[in-house]
Amino acid sequence: MFKELIPKKIFSIDKTLELLIKVSEDPDFSKLDQKDQNFIVGLKNIDLKNSQYVYEINSFVLQGNDFDVVFSSLAEEMLYFNYLNSELFDIDGKLSLIRLHH
């Protein structure tokens, strides 16, 4: 169970990808600031879901290491995914505000 929860809950990879798709396919996407549009397009271009980066994280977790080993080894990646999710939620919030004003 631990092996399944790490990629899904700590890194929120699936939720990150769902939010990325939601934001990029929003009808008001083009109304976002150029900086936010570039951020989203850049994420889509690297194909995060199929990237070597995500593959290596999942492979490391599935090796059966203890939680403390996984946690300490992947602390930087956890921070990255927290930042990424935070940015995506902020951009999604901006899209909500755009919809409210139109």
Side-chain angles (χ1 to χ4, degrees):
M1 187 167 153
F2 165 73
K3 292 177 185 179
E4 293 174 14
L5 290 178
I6 293 290
K8 290 180 183 172
K9 297 299 178 189
I10 292 182
F11 294 109
S12 304
I13 293 170
D14 292 337
K15 293 292 182 188
T16 300
L17 296 171
E18 288 172 16
L19 189 53
L20 176 60
I21 290 167
K22 177 185 174 201
V23 168
S24 66
E25 293 178 355
D26 191 286
D28 293 317
F29 178 78
S30 64
K31 296 177 183 171
L32 286 169
D33 293 339
Q34 192 62 47
K35 179 184 119 197
D36 291 332
Q37 289 183 44
N38 291 344
F39 181 76
I40 298 301
V41 169
L43 282 176
K44 287 196 67 148
N45 286 342
I46 62 171
D47 191 17
L48 191 60
K49 181 178 183 176
N50 298 311
S51 68
Q52 184 68 24
Y53 176 68
V54 170
Y55 172 79
E56 288 177 7
I57 290 171
N58 287 327
S59 294
F60 180 75
V61 170
L62 295 175
Q63 289 175 1
N65 296 302
D66 291 332
F67 179 75
D68 59 334
V69 172
V70 171
F71 189 83
S72 63
S73 299
L74 298 178
E76 186 176 328
E77 282 75 14
M78 286 185 277
L79 289 173
Y80 169 74
F81 273 92
N82 282 333
Y83 167 73
L84 184 56
N85 284 322
S86 175
E87 283 295 309
L88 288 170
F89 280 114
D90 285 349
I91 293 170
D92 189 46
K94 290 175 186 178
L95 285 167
S96 295
L97 287 174
I98 289 170
R99 280 189 293 279
L100 284 175
H101 290 101
H102 290 100

